């Protein structure tokens, strides 16, 4: 089954409510390819490997969480960025990305999907652009047990800072590179904060405040939103979607 690019992207924009977010990357179409879509490859990042896989799959669109254009990067299209874009343009493959809207969506989002995978109850979304989730473990665990379950489910060993024997029940989480929100989780009185990355300062804050900090991997925690978005597109439009995963330890 084939649908127009515009129909699919309009559905994504409306579903993810992209107009509500202030982001530092474009949400939606970033590289224009053919106008009709019959197959989509989803991936966490629009890496060269993901672009090559989309070519191999003869896809019409590469749909990602991390696109190719960021405010913090040079605007020039050279080197690795030129190579990725050239690959997509040569094969007329669209590339579309959804960043913060996909993190925050209450059903398809990275935070929501991580909670579902881990059997956490979400009680509320809050903080900057509703990117933080507060909730609880349905079965309280020690920090060591929670870390072990994350390892089992995500396939990546987390970095856990805190007393491994402490019972964890109330948690705050935000997938990806959200270590900067740790103080907000501390202020909320969480037993633990779970995110994707860790910086030097979080080690000290965890030890000094008693709120545990878990870094479970940026890629590892953000595999699931883009898969859910692809599956929702497949169910809505009857378009084939294939997920491309990379063994990215970061």
């Amino acid at each position: 089954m084939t649908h127009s690019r515009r129909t699919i992207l309009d559905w994504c924009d409306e579903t993810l409510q992209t107009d509500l977010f202030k982001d530092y990357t474009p949400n939606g179409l970033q590289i224009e390819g053919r106008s009709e879509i019959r197959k989509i490859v989803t991936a966490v990042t629009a890496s060269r490997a993901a672009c090559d896989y989309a070519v191999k799959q003869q896809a019409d669109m590469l749909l990602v969480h991390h696109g190719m254009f960021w405010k913090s990067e040079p605007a020039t299209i050279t080197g690795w960025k030129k190579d990725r874009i050239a690959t997509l343009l040569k094969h007329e493959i669209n590339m579309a990305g959804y960043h913060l809207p996909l993190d925050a969506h209450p059903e398809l989002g990275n935070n929501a999907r991580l909670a579902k995978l881990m059997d956490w109850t979400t009680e509320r979304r809050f903080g900057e652009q509703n990117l933080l989730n507060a909730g609880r473990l349905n079965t309280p665990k020690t920090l060591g047990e929670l870390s072990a379950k994350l390892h089992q489910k995500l396939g990546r060993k987390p970095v856990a800072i805190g007393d491994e024997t402490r019972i964890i029940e109330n948690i705050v989480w935000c997938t990806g590179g959200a270590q900067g929100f740790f103080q907000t989780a501390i202020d909320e009185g969480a037993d633990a904060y779970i995110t994707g990355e860790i910086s030097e300062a979080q080690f000290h804050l965890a030890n000094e405040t008693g709120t545990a900090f878990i870094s479970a991997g940026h890629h590892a925690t953000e595999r699931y939103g883009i898969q859910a978005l692809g599956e929702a597109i497949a169910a809505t439009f009857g378009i084939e979607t294939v997920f491309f995963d990379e063994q990215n330890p970061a």
Side-chain angles (χ1 to χ4, degrees):
M1 189 173 293
T2 300
H3 288 271
S4 74
R5 175 183 61 228
R6 188 69 268 157
T7 297
I8 293 168
L9 293 178
D10 284 348
W11 180 89
C12 289
D13 289 340
E14 182 178 354
T15 298
L16 299 177
Q17 297 184 292
T18 55
D19 58 334
L20 299 181
F21 291 85
K22 291 182 64 177
D23 215 331
Y24 33 92
T25 184
N27 285 294
L29 187 66
Q30 295 188 11
I31 306 293
E32 184 176 322
R34 59 183 65 92
S35 60
E36 294 297 314
I37 309 298
R38 59 175 180 75
K39 187 174 185 179
I40 295 174
V41 165
T42 60
V44 175
T45 299
S47 64
R48 178 59 188 271
C51 293
D52 289 343
Y53 185 79
V55 171
K56 182 179 179 181
Q57 289 289 315
Q58 298 183 312
D60 305 298
M61 178 179 287
L62 175 61
L63 182 64
V64 301
H65 178 51
H66 300 138
M68 218 175 291
F69 301 98
W70 303 86
K71 290 181 180 178
S72 60
E73 292 179 349
T76 53
I77 299 175
T78 58
W80 60 266
K81 186 173 288 186
K82 176 252 185 184
D83 291 341
R84 295 184 193 179
I85 293 172
T87 298
L88 295 172
L89 290 177
K90 179 181 178 180
H91 296 276
E92 295 188 278
I93 300 172
N94 298 276
M95 191 276 285
Y98 291 94
H99 186 232
L100 296 184
L102 187 57
D103 287 320
H105 193 273
E107 295 179 9
L108 303 178
N110 285 316
N111 287 323
R113 289 288 156 160
L114 180 62
K116 182 177 181 180
L117 180 73
M118 294 298 299
D119 191 30
W120 300 339
T121 292
T122 302
E123 295 175 337
R124 64 191 180 96
R125 296 180 298 134
F126 72 105
E128 183 180 329
Q129 302 191 76
N130 274 337
L131 291 173
L132 288 160
N133 280 217
R136 56 184 171 78
L137 308 188
N138 288 327
T139 303
K141 299 181 183 301
T142 66
L143 177 60
E145 290 169 340
L146 174 57
S147 181
K149 185 172 180 180
L150 282 161
H151 188 184
Q152 174 197 358
K153 291 289 188 179
L154 302 182
R156 178 196 182 277
K157 186 176 181 180
V159 175
I161 310 299
D163 179 0
E164 288 196 347
T165 67
R166 182 186 177 184
I167 298 297
I168 305 297
E169 182 172 7
N170 298 311
I171 57 173
V172 171
W173 67 96
C174 183
T175 64
Q179 61 268 49
F181 292 139
F182 187 29
Q183 184 63 55
T184 303
I186 294 168
D187 295 341
E188 286 290 313
D191 298 324
Y193 177 61
I194 302 100
T195 187
E197 298 185 13
I198 184 170
S199 299
E200 192 271 350
Q202 283 82 57
F203 171 82
H204 304 291
L205 286 176
N207 285 329
E208 293 171 24
T209 65
T211 300
F213 183 96
I214 300 179
S215 165
H218 194 139
H219 178 87
T221 58
E222 295 198 326
R223 285 192 188 104
Y224 306 100
I226 196 66
Q227 291 184 68
L229 181 61
E231 290 164 3
I233 291 172
T236 301
F237 297 101
I239 290 175
E240 181 182 1
T241 62
V242 180
F243 177 63
F244 172 70
D245 198 10
E246 294 187 68
Q247 297 305 309
N248 185 344

